[in-house]
Amino acid sequence: MTLLRHTPLEIKDRKALSINPAKTCQPVGAMYAALGIHGCLPHSHGSQGCCAYHRSALTRHYKEPVSAATSSFTEGSSVFGGQANLLQAINNIFTVYEPDVIAVHTTCLSETIGDDVPQIADKARQDGKIPEGKFVVSASTPSYVGSHVTGFANMVMGTLKGFAEKTGKKNGKVNLIPGFVEPSDMEEIKRLAAAMGVKTILFPDTSGVLNGPLTGEYKMFPDGGTTVDELRSTGDSIGTLALGEWASADGAKYLDSTHKVPCKILDLPIGLKATDRFIDALRLISGRHVTDLITHERGQLVDMISDMHQYFYHKKVALVGDPDQVIALTEFLTSIDMCPVHIVTGTPGKKFEARIKEITKDSPFPVNIKSRGDMFLLHQWIKNDPVDLLIGNTYCKYIARDEDIPLIRHGFPIIDRVGHQYFPTVGYKGGLRLLEKILDALLTRIDRDASEDCFELAY
Amino acid sequence: MEPVIFEERKTQIHRKGAEPFSISCNKSSLAGAVSQRACVFCGSRVVLYPIADALHLVHGPIGCAVYTWDIRGALSSGPELHRLSFSTDLREKDVIFGGEKKLYQALVELIDRHQPNAAFVYSTCIVGIIGDDLKAVCKKVQAEKGIPVIPVQSEGFKGNKREGYLAACEAMFQLVGTGDTSDISPLSVNILGDFNLAGEIWIIQDYLKRMGVDVVANITGDGRVADVRRAHGAALNLVQCSGATMDLAKMLKEKYGIPFIRVSYFGIEDMSDALYDVAKFFEDKDPGIMTRTQELVREELMALYPKLQTFRKDLEGKKAAIYVGGAFKAFSLIKSFRHLGMNVVMVGSQTGTEEDYQELAEITDEGTIIVDDTNPLELSAFIKEKDVDIFVGGVKERPIAFKLGVGFCDHNHERKEALEGFLGMYNFAREVHATVTSPVWNFTPRRRKSPIAAGSPGEVCAS
């Protein structure tokens, strides 16, 4: 008996129904982005269940405490509006928890009843409920539009809207919007920029917030995160690099159009080619040279690909995750001669399908691509055309088990393994880690399946 | 050290001995509080989802379905339809024009494909606001497909988990009374409020079987629609878990005259009491049952006690803090900790009632902190103030304990070990031992200063 015995081979178009989703709702992405602001308490303007779910989801993934407040809507607030709740919440939060910033995101409930959060925040300011030097920023994140990635992008933009200033005096820094990636990835992006001598403002920055050490103290506001001063200064930067179009482009475009900070939108720097483009963009925008250290790391990645390339050749892969991640991964896999054949994201966006089609156009195999897809569809595709490797979040383990396919966990959420908090997959070092995982999965499978007479010691 | 607390929350915290008993509870959480509580939908979903051969369709935007997708670890010995996530995935145009059509299509498609024995349709916040007529759609599909299609009125904003439990019980009660009860033994029970986490309900079923008692319906762990339909044929209801299924027990009593007893399967006393209560209830029908039960308990305890003693050696005098969903579980935990020689110094719950807290105040030691609907800041202040060795809670509390360098036991829905029954007491003691005596705490600041602490170059630190 298999767990997903309910998945039939025959594929029918589904319009009214999502089965085993490959996305979640906007507010959790907004909460994650807000945690990348130093001293910020995310606030969920809706029922208290939403907030509890998002905190649990983030806690399961990061194994870290996640604090966020809620407007605790009742039947009354859903009839008369949530203004009173939010005003009371702002007052309570600044009185008791004393954050520097409250980042309010909406929910399907508060959106539908029509609460105007910026206007409520203004009223709080006028009523003197926001202490001197403290801030409330907000984003509109209805759960019935887009996905968690959309929510992340909206909160990034909402925060920049709330803080970015143009003083007319350039700060000599580059804004980096890292996308919906792990704290470890954010750390690595900063390291690469610093290795080139580029001064940066990275936002959001959840490193030091969601991968912190055990200190013996519970800190509601850990040491990490982009500071208010840095966020203000983003309007004076020499340029912005947005990594990942879905998660980062909106914020970068806002700074470009409003504060004339020129932006370039890149893929997530996953794999050789995308990291090359990122390093090159850093070079051009900052006028700095690519340093020996970076050339050295790049060389190591190429070295490992060459050492092991025969094991990658024409291996079929099924991929599911967020658009920015999946696009970059597809390019990386294709560039090392692997063949992504079933590619799904839950997040809507026609551009996704076009982009993947372009990357996989020379594939020796037919390629299935779907945005706004789900894992039920992915499973059906795999049943019809089996793969050698599956890459996706923890929920893929049902498919991996039923179809007996090796699984590499990548994306959000990963709730049954650790490591994503600490080891990046971006940059050349991240590429090495991905290759290590891919090879481990493929070679362990060869070892497992080899008959005794074919069992090899060395690869 | 007095912890930082909201002025408005002071009445929800009681220190035993410091003042006469008084606590306010069952209040809505304060807006702006970092509450650990969830919503109505959450309550309904966790109660109903273990019914494994039913279809569970969440009518709402995608998030509500995602966050409740197979997170409880409710095991099934047969069908596993409950472990899939079905959602109408409402979009903007559905919110504007209504989602009834989509709901209808989704139900028809799913019922045709999976042939479930019943369908539960959960309403979410947004459905309550846009006014979809869930009942009408369910009624229509029920008539067309010939299976019960039951609306669960679980709009999130209508309260907290307790209201969700009630909605779930009302939904199940629509099934009760529709099955054939002619072959049910006079020595029969329904197990209410057990969700078969880590296979726990199988442990309880085994004890009952050894006593000669049949189980009609598991409500809801390893649950089946057909069993719920004939639940009215049982002679007695065993109700565990404070809030979750009490409403159903009351409905069964009122309509079918089935008595219920409140039980807990956690810890030695409560587990034994539960079995003895069942034996007592059936004694006039089966005079041998009490002897069989006594034998069973004796047998289990003989095996358990020596094992517990080895753990107790290391645990004697250690301190525990408890924060759980329902207060009922806290009673059993306090007793279980006493068996291990440990003291409970803080106890709290998300949804306890005034009577629950009164009882907690009675069975705890002087100075114990009793708290309703707390938050991370308070929790961490209490843990430090009382210098506890283990914290018992759920997913959101675990990393708080670890950050403070304190052991942790998940007694909530993410537990991986069966904690019910005599076997469960052993597993519990083993988990407590594992975490309290873990060598990792020797590396943490609470117990030991690190020789590589920042700012002390070359200095030898005292341990």
Side-chain angles (χ1 to χ4, degrees):
Chain A
M1 288 293 247
T2 56
L3 190 65
L4 297 183
R5 74 196 73 145
H6 309 284
T7 311
L9 270 171
E10 192 199 345
I11 299 167
K12 281 186 189 160
D13 195 30
R14 279 178 285 123
K15 287 217 159 53
L17 180 63
S18 179
I19 310 176
N20 299 345
K23 64 166 181 184
T24 181
C25 64
Q26 284 209 46
V28 76
M31 189 180 282
Y32 180 59
L35 289 165
I37 305 171
H38 178 71
C40 174
L41 189 70
H43 182 87
S44 167
H45 188 48
S47 301
Q48 56 188 9
C50 306
C51 187
Y53 280 139
H54 303 143
R55 289 174 60 207
S56 294
L58 290 167
T59 291
R60 285 192 181 97
H61 179 85
Y62 291 107
K63 309 222 176 303
E64 290 283 315
V66 172
S67 282
T70 160
S71 292
S72 295
F73 269 46
T74 58
E75 201 140 20
S77 22
S78 60
V79 176
F80 301 113
Q83 170 163 320
N85 291 50
L86 187 53
L87 288 173
Q88 189 196 14
I90 289 172
N91 188 38
N92 281 335
I93 290 168
F94 280 128
T95 310
V96 178
Y97 301 122
E98 299 180 329
D100 298 334
V101 183
I102 302 173
V104 183
H105 62 261
T106 58
T107 57
C108 45
L109 180 55
S110 53
E111 282 289 334
T112 309
I113 63 175
D115 279 356
D116 182 346
V117 171
Q119 181 247 313
I120 298 172
D122 272 349
K123 182 164 168 46
R125 195 167 296 116
Q126 285 157 19
D127 294 354
K129 301 295 184 197
I130 304 177
E132 190 63 32
K134 306 271 182 175
F135 306 89
V136 175
V137 293
S138 66
S140 167
T141 53
S143 321
Y144 44 77
V145 176
S147 75
H148 56 294
V149 183
T150 324
F152 180 92
N154 285 341
M155 184 49 87
V156 169
M157 188 158 79
T159 306
L160 292 172
K161 264 188 186 165
F163 284 117
E165 290 171 358
K166 192 181 182 71
T167 63
K169 192 167 171 271
K170 288 284 174 199
N171 61 19
K173 294 178 182 172
V174 176
N175 298 326
L176 289 175
I177 306 178
F180 199 144
V181 293
E182 299 293 339
S184 52
D185 294 322
M186 296 182 185
E187 222 160 16
E188 180 66 3
I189 288 164
K190 280 196 288 189
R191 188 189 67 89
L192 284 170
M196 281 180 59
V198 183
K199 288 195 184 117
T200 57
I201 298 170
L202 183 98
F203 171 69
D205 184 2
T206 58
S207 65
V209 178
L210 291 169
N211 61 356
L214 192 161
T215 56
E217 294 291 326
Y218 165 70
K219 281 191 180 167
M220 196 161 207
F221 308 108
D223 297 336
T226 317
T227 63
V228 166
D229 287 343
E230 287 177 307
L231 286 166
R232 284 183 153 159
S233 179
T234 51
D236 288 332
S237 294
I238 53 176
T240 304
L241 296 182
L243 309 181
E245 180 167 356
W246 267 259
S248 307
D250 289 351
K253 284 179 187 162
Y254 167 78
L255 290 175
D256 197 332
S257 60
T258 310
H259 298 296
K260 302 287 169 279
V261 180
C263 75
K264 191 165 170 58
I265 294 152
L266 300 164
D267 289 324
L268 282 180
I270 293 177
L272 191 66
K273 288 158 89 174
T275 306
D276 283 352
R277 292 196 295 273
F278 169 59
I279 296 294
D280 200 43
L282 266 180
R283 181 181 68 84
L284 290 171
I285 206 166
S286 68
R288 315 286 300 197
H289 293 292
V290 176
T291 54
D292 290 349
L293 177 75
I294 286 175
T295 311
H296 179 76
E297 287 179 9
R298 183 182 193 278
Q300 288 178 320
L301 179 57
V302 180
D303 190 67
M304 191 191 274
I305 299 171
S306 75
D307 286 344
M308 305 303 280
H309 68 272
Q310 66 269 43
Y311 298 102
F312 301 133
Y313 174 71
H314 284 194
K315 286 281 185 290
K316 287 184 175 180
V317 186
L319 259 177
V320 54
D322 300 341
D324 294 329
Q325 307 272 357
V326 170
I327 286 169
L329 278 170
T330 303
E331 188 194 52
F332 185 37
L333 297 174
T334 305
S335 76
I336 59 173
D337 229 0
M338 294 180 78
C339 301
V341 290
H342 309 309
I343 304 165
V344 166
T345 186
T347 301
K350 282 280 167 232
K351 258 187 182 172
F352 172 82
E353 296 183 13
R355 191 69 209 288
I356 298 283
K357 209 170 274 173
E358 170 62 26
I359 296 170
T360 57
K361 66 178 189 308
D362 297 325
S363 175
F365 306 113
V367 181
N368 289 315
I369 309 164
K370 177 91 174 144
S371 73
R372 215 176 241 195
D374 54 29
M375 293 205 189
F376 185 80
L377 174 68
L378 183 74
H379 191 197
Q380 289 184 306
W381 279 346
I382 292 172
K383 274 178 177 287
N384 284 286
D385 178 11
V387 293
D388 301 296
L389 183 66
L390 174 59
I391 301 180
N393 68 27
T394 287
Y395 286 102
C396 288
K397 76 195 277 185
Y398 302 118
I399 300 174
R401 181 187 159 97
D402 282 2
E403 305 304 325
D404 192 24
I405 307 165
L407 165 65
I408 294 176
R409 285 163 180 78
H410 191 272
F412 179 83
I414 297 172
I415 55 179
D416 63 339
R417 294 292 188 275
V418 291
H420 47 279
Q421 307 93 327
Y422 302 110
F423 306 110
T425 54
V426 298
Y428 302 118
K429 290 262 187 211
L432 286 173
R433 176 162 183 261
L434 276 172
L435 291 187
E436 185 200 6
K437 287 191 146 206
I438 290 169
L439 286 164
D440 191 32
L442 294 176
L443 299 177
T444 301
R445 185 53 58 117
I446 293 174
D447 284 341
R448 191 198 77 174
D449 294 346
S451 61
E452 199 170 311
D453 48 334
C454 297
F455 185 66
E456 294 273 1
L457 175 68
Y459 292 113
Chain B
M1 180 196 70
E2 279 295 314
V4 215
I5 52 168
F6 285 109
E7 191 59 36
E8 291 88 335
R9 280 200 29 80
K10 282 191 172 159
T11 57
Q12 283 170 276
I13 299 162
H14 173 73
R15 282 165 188 270
K16 183 170 175 189
E19 63 233 67
F21 176 79
S22 141
I23 196 161
S24 54
C25 54
N26 208 10
K27 289 166 62 164
S28 298
S29 299
L30 204 59
V34 181
S35 168
Q36 310 294 81
R37 276 179 174 171
C39 64
V40 182
F41 166 74
C42 177
S44 292
R45 186 85 170 102
V46 296
V47 169
L48 292 174
Y49 119 98
I51 302 177
D53 59 345
L55 174 76
H56 301 270
L57 175 61
V58 181
H59 186 39
I62 199 71
C64 304
V66 172
Y67 304 119
T68 53
W69 178 8
D70 203 21
I71 51 166
R72 253 212 173 199
L75 304 184
S76 165
S77 55
E80 303 212 89
L81 195 57
H82 70 302
R83 300 187 72 171
L84 275 68
S85 174
F86 301 113
S87 166
T88 48
D89 191 4
L90 290 181
R91 313 273 167 80
E92 195 155 21
K93 70 170 180 7
D94 307 316
V95 172
I96 298 165
F97 299 110
E100 291 177 16
K101 219 163 143 190
K102 211 172 178 183
L103 175 61
Y104 172 79
Q105 285 173 352
L107 272 172
V108 168
E109 181 186 331
L110 286 168
I111 292 169
D112 284 348
R113 186 187 310 125
H114 300 296
Q115 303 289 319
N117 293 325
F120 292 103
V121 183
Y122 302 78
S123 109
T124 57
C125 288
I126 198 82
V127 171
I129 297 293
I130 63 177
D132 276 0
D133 192 345
L134 211 62
K135 278 188 189 153
V137 176
C138 290
K139 209 171 153 190
K140 185 174 172 206
V141 178
Q142 175 163 315
E144 284 175 22
K145 296 294 164 190
I147 61 161
V149 179
I150 301 167
V152 186
Q153 300 291 345
S154 52
E155 294 84 352
F157 56 82
K158 285 190 172 162
N160 62 31
K161 271 159 105 174
R162 293 174 73 91
E163 284 78 7
Y165 298 151
L166 177 60
C169 289
E170 282 168 347
M172 280 188 284
F173 199 57
Q174 294 187 39
L175 284 176
V176 175
T178 59
D180 176 23
T181 58
S182 54
D183 62 342
I184 294 176
S185 148
L187 267 64
S188 60
V189 297
N190 296 314
I191 301 179
L192 273 66
D194 190 306
F195 305 104
N196 201 30
L197 310 182
E200 286 171 340
I201 213 166
W202 298 326
I203 297 173
I204 307 306
Q205 279 178 323
D206 172 64
Y207 296 155
L208 292 168
K209 198 175 156 199
R210 284 155 66 187
M211 288 162 60
V213 176
D214 285 353
V215 177
V216 179
N218 297 341
I219 295 174
T220 55
D222 199 10
R224 299 291 182 275
V225 172
D227 296 339
V228 179
R229 297 179 85 140
R230 60 206 286 266
H232 59 296
L236 176 68
N237 284 322
L238 307 179
V239 189
Q240 200 191 217
C241 189
S242 321
T245 52
M246 184 51 92
D247 295 311
L248 182 64
K250 287 178 181 162
M251 293 173 203
L252 283 162
K253 186 171 182 200
E254 198 173 305
K255 183 156 179 196
Y256 299 101
I258 308 172
F260 64 84
I261 50 177
R262 274 183 96 171
V263 292
S264 164
Y265 309 128
F266 297 115
I268 296 170
E269 289 90 351
D270 289 354
M271 184 66 241
S272 314
D273 284 350
L275 298 181
Y276 286 138
D277 285 351
V278 173
K280 227 175 279 161
F281 183 84
F282 290 116
E283 222 174 1
D284 51 342
K285 289 182 191 156
D286 178 357
I289 191 170
M290 188 53 89
T291 321
R292 288 199 299 278
T293 307
Q294 282 163 346
E295 251 160 48
L296 185 159
V297 173
R298 191 177 314 121
E299 214 173 278
E300 293 285 337
L301 288 185
M302 294 264 281
L304 176 63
Y305 261 124
K307 291 186 201 160
L308 285 189
Q309 293 317 307
T310 60
F311 293 130
R312 186 176 169 133
K313 273 201 322 273
D314 298 328
L315 297 174
E316 195 85 53
K318 304 277 186 194
K319 287 176 275 185
I322 298 169
Y323 186 69
V324 284
F328 205 61
K329 190 188 280 172
F331 304 140
S332 303
L333 279 166
I334 291 169
K335 292 179 218 166
S336 295
F337 276 121
R338 289 212 174 112
H339 275 288
L340 300 174
M342 297 172 66
N343 307 314
V344 172
V345 292
M346 187 218 105
V347 57
S349 85
Q350 291 177 35
T351 56
T353 61
E354 195 175 345
E355 302 84 72
D356 291 334
Y357 291 119
Q358 177 99 45
E359 197 175 333
L360 282 174
E362 275 158 28
I363 64 169
T364 48
D365 299 328
E366 290 286 295
T368 302
I369 298 168
I370 297 169
V371 61
D372 176 60
D373 182 26
T374 187
N375 59 63
L377 270 191
E378 286 176 9
L379 281 176
S380 82
F382 294 146
I383 290 171
K384 283 169 80 174
E385 178 196 328
K386 295 289 186 184
D387 191 24
V388 307
D389 298 283
I390 182 172
F391 187 91
V392 182
V395 57
K396 292 190 291 293
E397 291 86 31
R398 179 199 301 263
I400 297 172
F402 288 163
K403 275 284 179 258
L404 296 166
V406 169
F408 184 83
C409 168
D410 195 325
H411 212 287
N412 207 334
H413 49 252
E414 288 199 10
R415 59 180 181 258
K416 301 296 167 220
E417 295 284 343
L419 299 177
E420 291 181 1
F422 302 104
L423 174 66
M425 180 65 204
Y426 169 74
N427 290 338
F428 175 70
R430 198 168 180 278
E431 262 201 69
V432 171
H433 188 264
T435 192
V436 168
T437 65
S438 170
V440 69
W441 311 128
N442 295 329
F443 307 122
T444 64
R446 197 165 70 105
R447 297 284 182 231
R448 190 190 185 93
K449 275 188 190 150
S450 162
I452 56 160
S456 56
E459 215 175 280
V460 182
C461 288
S463 61

